[in-house]
Amino acid sequence: MPRLVGQRSNTGANITVFVILVATLGALFEYFGVIDIVPGFGREGRYFQLKGQATNEQVIQQPNQ
């Protein structure tokens, strides 16, 4: 069994990989409409339509007040 005395840890590499994975998942969620942080980014239709959220068609049909 090898001894780990004097070996450096890979903490920095692990954190880097974790940050890249979180950023990738965030970008995918934003693109597919699961979250909406950046307006106008991603596909036109939402992947999950929220019940309390008006669609673009509903907003366009409303008269100006």
Side-chain angles (χ1 to χ4, degrees):
M1 191 120 216
R3 296 183 66 195
L4 299 176
V5 175
Q7 299 270 336
R8 292 186 177 197
S9 67
N10 290 331
T11 305
N14 291 339
I15 291 173
T16 302
V17 169
F18 177 73
V19 168
I20 290 171
L21 285 174
V22 168
T24 303
L25 285 174
L28 285 173
F29 285 168
E30 177 70 28
Y31 178 76
F32 285 110
V34 176
I35 58 175
D36 188 24
I37 296 173
V38 181
F41 177 76
R43 296 182 355 169
E44 186 65 28
R46 293 183 59 87
Y47 186 71
F48 296 111
Q49 182 65 39
L50 301 176
K51 291 181 181 177
Q53 184 177 15
T55 63
N56 289 340
E57 291 79 18
Q58 292 170 339
V59 171
I60 292 171
Q61 291 174 355
Q62 291 180 350
N64 291 336
Q65 297 180 4

